[in-house]
Amino acid sequence: MVFAGLMLVGGRLADVFGRRRIFMIGLGAFTMASFAAGLAADGTGLIIARALQGVGAAFLTPTALALLRSVFPDPRERGTAIGLWSAVGALALALGPLTGGLISERWHWGWIYLINVPIGVVTFALGLWAIRVPPQDRVRRSLDVPGLLSSSLALFALTYALIEGDGAGWTSPEILGAFGLAAVSATTFAVVELRSREPMIDLSLFRSRVFSGGMLSTGLWAFGVFGIYFFTALYLQNALGFSPTEAGSSFVPMALVMAATAATAPRIDRTLGTARTVAAGLLLMGVAVFGISFVGEGGSFESLLPWFLVYGLGGGLLVPLTTAILGTLPVDRAGVAAGVLNVSREVFGLLGVTILGAILNGRQSAILRDGVKPLTAFLEAYRFTLIIAAVIVLVGVPVSLFSLRASRTARGPENPQSPESPESMETAAERPAVPVG
């Protein structure tokens, strides 16, 4: 909740106080909070430490992506850097579950958090030595406190409702109140931003085909990938009898293919164009999810592996989507742009787990009422849920082809646009000759 709720705050602070500074503060806070969580003696201490981890991560995550735009002003270099950044993230998708499985089986639980400490210390030292940003790293003058408060409250409430809805009941006063608070806060945020002299997010940017379509494509990707990871891990352990370590290891080949593809995606983008590259990635992911749904109870790692590899190939092709979205905002809002991108991923990811989970549970309960065995009911519901997830991911194919397509006519000098207008930024982002961004 803290991570999702404060991500826009972290992006704004980076734009106001400097991205390198906020990056280092976030990294330091996350590392110290991990140490406290690993040594927590009771539940209260662990929850407090986890909340502080969320603060550090909310400062760290959007700022890391925004720094790439500051450090690499050349579009070609920046495209390569974002590809490598995405490749590292893909590896984390595999190494996280694998490491977690090993620790949960063989070590004290506290090492789930303590393992972050040496990594954080080394990264902090590397950051002090290696990260060099231009003088314009601090590019905003005001914090936009009303915008910060209203956006954070909206994200806190929405995240809480999505996480607790299944347990508390979707129609309970608690959850309906949280959804209502999120809606009121989001409306307040929109009104504040429209009237602010220096808004966090220029809402007119949503008129940009690249920005709005790119955000929707990102959301559809996150919806599918979060849900698939979550429920496929359950399938591997409950249906195929995998241990936590074996289940985590099963995702490693997929992540390796995703990382390798992400590193080369900028080159593919220069050849095919952003729209076709992203559409191909979403198409491959949707087909892979549909293929996984047919494996069933008698499956094995060998029968899942081809679909995992196809899924990893598709996921790696989505790197140009990140550069396209970042490219729609001027450099002085790169921090908030990265925050918006990561918030979209988090919220749609939660929606994926929540909605797909509700579909799976509802389908499973209906089948169980017919007297079917629990495992058979789970497998049937799991297969049904995967098909729905595949359809949702595939919706991103036409969305990306439309929103990220190259403009048919370039603007001539007789019709110049302001470099910060949504129209000119969209045209610049759509030029196929160089990587988007």
Side-chain angles (χ1 to χ4, degrees):
M1 283 181 58
V2 175
F3 178 45
L6 295 182
M7 219 173 318
L8 287 180
V9 175
R12 181 67 176 198
L13 291 177
D15 288 340
V16 173
F17 296 109
R19 291 156 197 162
R20 181 178 183 270
R21 177 180 299 173
I22 298 302
F23 175 86
M24 301 304 294
I25 291 174
L27 179 59
F30 183 82
T31 302
M32 290 187 289
S34 297
F35 183 75
L39 299 181
D42 53 39
T44 301
L46 179 59
I47 291 172
I48 293 173
R50 289 286 287 162
L52 293 176
Q53 272 190 311
V55 174
F59 287 12
L60 177 65
T61 303
T63 312
L65 184 55
L67 274 170
L68 294 180
R69 188 165 183 178
S70 298
V71 176
F72 299 99
D74 178 75
R76 187 180 296 269
E77 289 184 350
R78 185 165 61 247
T80 301
I82 291 177
L84 294 174
W85 177 84
S86 301
V88 172
L91 289 174
L93 286 175
L95 295 179
L98 175 60
T99 306
L102 289 170
I103 291 174
S104 64
E105 284 190 49
R106 303 180 183 181
W107 295 1
H108 182 266
W109 67 267
W111 279 102
I112 293 173
Y113 306 110
L114 292 175
I115 196 172
N116 296 330
V117 176
I119 297 173
V121 170
V122 171
T123 307
F124 194 90
L126 285 172
L128 290 175
W129 169 71
I131 297 176
R132 295 291 181 266
V133 293
Q136 64 270 26
D137 182 45
R138 294 176 60 177
V139 291
R140 309 298 287 171
R141 294 183 296 276
S142 66
L143 282 175
D144 184 20
V145 174
L148 291 178
L149 293 177
S150 56
S151 64
S152 297
L153 186 58
L155 291 170
F156 272 124
L158 178 60
T159 305
Y160 177 82
L162 292 175
I163 292 175
E164 298 295 330
D166 189 53
W170 294 106
T171 58
S172 66
E174 173 186 352
I175 300 304
L176 292 177
F179 278 125
L181 179 59
V184 171
S185 301
T187 303
T188 302
F189 174 73
V191 172
V192 166
E193 296 304 283
L194 287 172
R195 297 181 177 181
S196 176
R197 291 184 177 181
E198 199 173 4
M200 290 175 59
I201 304 172
D202 186 352
L203 297 181
S204 66
L205 286 167
F206 286 94
R207 296 200 303 265
S208 165
R209 176 163 45 85
V210 173
F211 184 80
S212 56
M215 293 295 296
L216 179 57
S217 297
T218 298
L220 292 170
W221 166 82
F223 189 101
V225 73
F226 276 62
I228 296 311
Y229 265 90
F230 185 80
F231 296 112
T232 300
L234 295 178
Y235 163 72
L236 291 174
Q237 295 178 73
N238 296 341
L240 302 188
F242 284 28
S243 68
T245 302
E246 290 172 336
S249 302
S250 300
F251 293 110
V252 171
M254 176 172 65
L256 291 175
V257 171
M258 192 180 297
T261 308
T264 59
R267 296 181 183 178
I268 300 173
D269 175 37
R270 289 193 287 270
T271 302
L272 298 180
T274 300
R276 286 190 289 269
T277 302
V278 173
L282 291 169
L283 177 63
L284 289 172
M285 293 173 68
V287 170
V289 173
F290 190 74
I292 293 172
S293 69
F294 286 95
V295 174
E297 183 177 1
S300 63
F301 174 71
E302 288 74 19
S303 57
L304 288 168
L305 181 59
W307 299 117
F308 280 178
L309 296 180
V310 172
Y311 191 90
L313 179 63
L317 290 176
L318 298 189
V319 170
L321 186 55
T322 300
T323 54
I325 294 172
L326 291 182
T328 58
L329 282 173
V331 69
D332 63 344
R333 294 177 187 172
V336 168
V340 171
L341 179 62
N342 283 285
V343 164
S344 174
R345 288 174 176 170
E346 284 295 312
V347 171
F348 273 91
L350 280 172
L351 284 170
V353 174
T354 302
I355 295 176
L356 294 178
I359 293 172
L360 189 149
N361 289 333
R363 181 75 172 177
Q364 185 175 7
S365 298
I367 297 173
L368 285 172
R369 285 194 292 270
D370 295 333
V372 177
K373 294 181 180 180
L375 179 58
T376 303
F378 169 79
L379 288 171
E380 176 60 29
Y382 170 69
R383 179 178 179 273
F384 179 75
T385 303
L386 285 186
I387 293 174
I388 292 177
V391 171
I392 291 173
V393 172
L394 289 173
V395 170
V397 174
V399 169
S400 57
L401 285 173
F402 170 75
S403 62
L404 303 176
R405 74 185 190 277
S407 57
R408 294 183 180 180
T409 58
R411 296 187 189 274
E414 70 280 3
N415 187 26
Q417 295 287 339
S418 166
E420 292 193 7
S421 70
E423 292 84 359
S424 64
M425 285 183 286
E426 178 173 310
T427 302
E430 291 170 340
R431 292 183 187 126
V434 295
V436 175

